[in-house]
């Protein structure tokens, strides 16, 4: 079992920045690739970013590429999502997830084994 707890969400004006954190406990954090997803009201949960076990690779949705950065600290058992140049359309509940192995399917929800509860991000115009 892996427990995931997100933090760092909040209200920010358009153009601002936030950094989300996802703290993991349980099994060895470095054994898991990690992802961030988001869900806006009335919409599906969409892929945002992913990172492999030892940061060999990172992946981003086109909508956030160049604005968001995913990173991880395997000593602190934490994955981060730095969000810059935020837009109102980034408003959503952001959730982190852990995958024992996602291969090339890093954007698919079904490859993730554990999920956090989410943190709300609201971007005002």
């Amino acid at each position: 079992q892996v427990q995931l707890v997100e933090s760092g969400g909040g209200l920010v004006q358009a153009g601002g920045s936030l950094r989300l954190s996802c703290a993991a406990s349980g099994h060895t954090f470095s054994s898991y690739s990690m992802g961030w997803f988001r869900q806006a009201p009335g919409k599906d949960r969409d892929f945002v970013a992913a990172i492999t076990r030892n940061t060999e690779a990172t992946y981003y949705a086109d909508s956030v590429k160049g604005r968001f950065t995913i990173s991880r600290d395997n000593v602190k058992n934490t994955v981060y999502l730095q969000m810059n140049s935020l837009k109102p359309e980034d408003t959503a509940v952001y959730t982190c997830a852990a995958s024992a192995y996602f291969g090339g399917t890093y954007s698919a929800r079904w490859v993730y084994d554990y999920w956090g509860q989410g943190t709300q991000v609201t971007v005002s115009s």
Side-chain angles (χ1 to χ4, degrees), residues 47-67:
F47 169 75
V48 175
I51 188 167
T52 51
R53 293 177 183 84
N54 291 298
T55 317
E56 302 93 337
T58 57
Y59 306 96
Y60 297 93
D62 288 343
S63 59
V64 307
K65 204 170 291 184
R67 300 188 297 123

Side-chain angles (χ1 to χ4, degrees), residues 92-113:
V93 174
Y94 284 71
T95 305
C96 67
S99 171
Y101 177 74
F102 59 41
T105 54
Y106 50 84
S107 63
R109 294 190 296 269
W110 58 266
V111 304
Y112 291 86
D113 306 291

Side-chain angles (χ1 to χ4, degrees), residues 7-26:
S7 61
L11 174 64
V12 64
Q13 287 188 329
S17 298
L18 282 175
R19 188 176 83 154
L20 305 183
S21 299
C22 172
S25 60

